[in-house]
Amino acid sequence: MKNFFTLIYILCVFNAFSQEINMEKGKFYQQGKQISSYETKQLLMSNPEALKYFKQGKTKEGIGGFMLGLGIGLTVGDLVKGLVSDVDYPSGMTYVGAAAIVASIPIMAGKKKKIKKGIELYNQGLKPSSDTGNSTDFNMAVIANNYGYGLQIRF
């Protein structure tokens, strides 16, 4: 049982230090490999504040993208309707579409900043703290001698 807990502890320690996330050009990378937004969200669940900022950024991205798509769709739809029929072209659909496009700009403006802040908070949480009073600094090493192998942990 002791060996089992030691193995689990070693795996958790190595896993915790290897999960730093980077964001480049709107894509998320971990150890040089691209990961999806879902995987990023799963990793951020260990830090509630980082997850909150990440979700806010993704929500802004979704709502802003929907508004932009709606605005473009309404404007283009009204343009096509005006070209193929004898209806006055700039109708209410064009104005509503233009308003949706303009409204999507401030909604999408802060999305990247919020996502980056969430990732930075997560990455800061992975690094050991510099406070000497509240630090959980320890050193773990595998040692060997004439009697066998062992795991040495120093606090």
Side-chain angles (χ1 to χ4, degrees), residues 87-104:
V87 181
D88 292 335
Y89 163 59
S91 68
M93 278 178 45
T94 300
Y95 299 122
V96 171
I101 291 170
V102 171
S104 71

Side-chain angles (χ1 to χ4, degrees), residues 18-44 54 58 119 122-123:
S18 66
Q19 293 192 5
E20 190 168 313
I21 301 172
N22 299 319
M23 182 176 160
E24 297 174 13
K25 299 180 183 177
K27 297 180 181 176
F28 305 104
Y29 295 93
Q30 180 184 22
Q31 297 177 341
K33 294 181 183 177
Q34 183 178 353
I35 57 175
S36 68
S37 291
Y38 177 76
E39 292 170 329
T40 305
K41 190 168 130 182
Q42 294 300 317
L43 290 172
L44 292 177
F54 184 79
K58 284 299 191 178
I119 290 175
Y122 173 77
N123 288 339

Side-chain angles (χ1 to χ4, degrees), residues 77-89 91:
D78 193 33
L79 175 65
V80 170
K81 179 181 161 188
L83 289 174
V84 297
S85 66
D86 293 334
V87 181
D88 292 335
Y89 163 59
S91 68

Side-chain angles (χ1 to χ4, degrees), residues 112-150:
K112 190 173 183 180
K113 188 176 182 181
K114 292 231 182 234
I115 291 171
K116 275 189 174 183
K117 186 170 183 177
I119 290 175
E120 287 173 3
L121 284 173
Y122 173 77
N123 288 339
Q124 287 174 358
L126 291 178
K127 297 177 184 171
S129 65
S130 61
D131 298 340
T132 56
N134 198 13
S135 178
T136 58
D137 246 354
F138 65 93
N139 185 8
M140 185 172 68
V142 177
I143 58 172
N145 59 21
N146 293 340
Y147 300 109
Y149 297 98

